[in-house]
Amino acid sequence: KAGVTQTPRYLIKTRGQQVTLSCSPISGHRSVSWYQQTPGQGLQFLFEYFSETQRNKGNFPGRFSGRQFSNSRSEMNVSTLELGDSALYLCASSLRQANTEAFFGQGTRLTVV
Amino acid sequence: SQKIEQNSEALNIQEGKTATLTCNYTNYSPAYLQWYRQDPGRGPVFLLLIRENEKEKRKERLKVTFDTTLKQSLFHITASQPADSATYLCALVSSYGNKLVFGAGTILRVKS
């Protein structure tokens, strides 16, 4: 079956702009989590959605938001981009809960200039 | 505060040897622990999950141990190959919410 698909793979944005990233989980998976990965901080949990509801949130400012649709696809949005938002954004899907085996997508490499 | 610590320095070993990676944690009481592999520019790939009542788990050349008294997990790759070179991450469920928290990872380099 198809894996987790993230689009786009690469993105370059200017400071102050906003960006939307998309994630299609594995068919049948209802939990989608988002992570930010940077060389200095490693993998940092952003939030988790399950059945269209945000179930958990990490320690990120309100500029980072997300949502999940009825087909389990998820989007995350970052507004008022800052240089420090440059990172690899990873989406992971799980069958039921975020704490079980997670299947990651290839990620979206966001560069803010 | 909760911490997950993995060897910050890269581990360099010779092909054919056993690689052993360490994951230590504090202020967690995890029901289980997971190990992932990550290659540059790609998402992590799930390898193994071990539960608190399991001392050891094996999958092909991989072996994981879990000592809840020492608050430590060891990840072994036997008969290592250059293709095993990657970053290996351990992950625990945070007590603060039902979320998976990752260690910083250890880079493994296997030289032929």
Side-chain angles (χ1 to χ4, degrees), chain A residues 23 27 53 64 72 79 81 92 100:
Chain A
C23 172
S27 177
T53 302
F64 292 81
S72 293
S79 62
L81 284 165
T100 54

Side-chain angles (χ1 to χ4, degrees), chain B residues 30-44:
Chain B
Y32 43 84
L33 181 149
Q34 303 181 34
W35 283 89
Y36 289 78
R37 168 188 172 138
Q38 186 175 24
D39 292 285
R42 303 177 76 90

Side-chain angles (χ1 to χ4, degrees), chain A residues 9 35 37 43 45 48 56-57 90 97-102 104-106, chain B residues 32 34 36 38 41-44 46 49 89 93 96-100 102:
Chain A
R9 287 293 312 280
Y35 292 83
Q37 187 172 37
L43 266 168
F45 175 83
E48 183 218 350
N56 273 301
K57 193 175 190 307
L90 290 159
Q97 301 177 82
N99 57 8
T100 54
E101 178 183 348
F104 283 83
Q106 299 268 49
Chain B
Y32 43 84
Q34 303 181 34
Y36 289 78
Q38 186 175 24
R42 303 177 76 90
F46 172 82
L49 180 153
L89 304 155
V93 176
Y96 303 108
N98 201 30
K99 59 189 181 187
L100 202 54
F102 286 82

Side-chain angles (χ1 to χ4, degrees), chain A residues 40-86:
Chain A
Q41 298 295 317
L43 266 168
Q44 301 286 310
F45 175 83
L46 280 155
F47 28 65
E48 183 218 350
Y49 286 87
F50 183 87
S51 293
E52 302 178 66
T53 302
Q54 186 181 86
R55 204 155 61 164
N56 273 301
K57 193 175 190 307
N59 296 323
F60 279 82
R63 299 185 297 108
F64 292 81
S65 63
R67 59 179 176 168
Q68 187 180 33
F69 302 96
S70 58
N71 61 358
S72 293
R73 190 177 71 84
S74 177
E75 289 181 346
M76 70 162 278
N77 186 78
V78 188
S79 62
T80 320
L81 284 165
E82 300 176 0
L83 296 179
D85 296 332
S86 296

